[in-house]
Amino acid sequence: EEVRRQAWPDVRNADELHDLLLSLCLLPLTDGRELPTFAAALIKSGRAAVASWLVAETNGEMRAWIAAERCDLLRLCIPGIQYDPPISMPLGFVEKVSSAEEALRNIVQGWLEAIGPTTVGHLAARLGLAAAKIDAALLALESAGAVLRCEFTVMNGAPGAPRAVEWCERSLLARIHRLTLGRLRKEIEAVSAAEFMEF
């Protein structure tokens, strides 16, 4: 939980929200409930928009803030995406992503860098994207060495129930391991001779 808190950026102004949108590619409105003032400033200046698309699994609509620089990337991997207000790539900015699979990998990697261990189902529900596509992106990221899969969290389902596979970005996992080892070492830390004699 500590690493998750540290990984999620503190957004204090519109420019920091824009940086977050560039990293995550899309930020569901439900995840940014405290950010509408900053988002409104970005939308007014043409740097962001609200994207909406139909989620096939639930037949519901998903809405998210996106940066103007990511509009073509999202068009590649989310069919039927709409932007309000209509938005296009900033002049002189060229998106280097050429396939839907690569675009989806960018989205998934950005999110894993910000949220810590998660499951395919949780990420798919949070982003409004197909679980099969997220799973394929995670497998590609795993083969590139960017993410690892395992059972990271203790509270991952009911006791005795099969545990879901979780995925975590490599550097966040290293931080989790360092903090865990530090905590375990403190639990068995030697006391001073005076404390021992008092005991």
Side-chain angles (χ1 to χ4, degrees), residues 6-192:
Q6 292 170 357
W8 188 260
D10 289 329
V11 176
R12 296 167 296 212
N13 57 44
D15 289 328
E16 288 181 357
L17 175 58
H18 188 256
D19 289 343
L20 179 61
L21 294 176
L22 290 174
S23 298
L24 299 179
C25 299
L26 60 94
L27 178 63
L29 299 186
T30 54
D31 280 318
R33 286 182 292 270
E34 71 284 355
L35 305 172
T37 306
F38 302 145
L42 290 176
I43 290 169
K44 185 177 180 182
S45 63
R47 296 171 65 196
V50 174
S52 58
W53 64 95
L54 187 64
V55 180
E57 285 80 8
T58 62
N59 270 345
E61 184 183 55
M62 183 71 181
R63 293 170 49 84
W65 287 309
I66 61 112
E69 292 87 346
R70 298 294 181 245
C71 66
D72 284 356
L73 178 141
L74 292 168
R75 278 190 187 105
L76 274 174
C77 64
I78 304 174
I81 193 167
Q82 301 290 321
Y83 300 128
D84 181 29
I87 198 166
S88 60
M89 295 282 278
L91 194 61
F93 187 87
V94 178
E95 185 59 67
K96 296 175 181 143
V97 175
S98 59
S99 70
E101 292 78 19
E102 189 178 353
L104 203 54
R105 279 195 305 272
N106 285 356
I107 294 169
V108 170
Q109 184 168 9
W111 272 89
L112 285 178
E113 290 171 357
I115 63 171
T118 190
T119 63
V120 171
H122 180 258
L123 198 55
R126 191 172 194 173
L127 301 180
L129 301 171
K133 290 182 178 180
I134 297 235
D135 195 41
L138 286 166
L139 290 171
L141 288 168
E142 181 185 39
S143 69
V147 301
L148 298 167
R149 66 173 139 172
C150 195
E151 295 172 359
F152 299 107
T153 58
V154 176
M155 309 250 320
N156 187 10
R163 293 173 60 163
V165 172
E166 292 177 289
W167 297 82
C168 188
E169 195 270 335
R170 187 182 233 20
S171 64
L172 288 183
L173 183 60
R175 285 169 54 190
I176 291 169
H177 280 260
R178 279 193 304 274
L179 286 172
T180 302
L181 286 174
R183 192 193 79 223
L184 292 173
R185 285 181 180 137
K186 282 184 182 177
E187 289 176 2
I188 59 166
E189 196 172 71
V191 297
S192 68

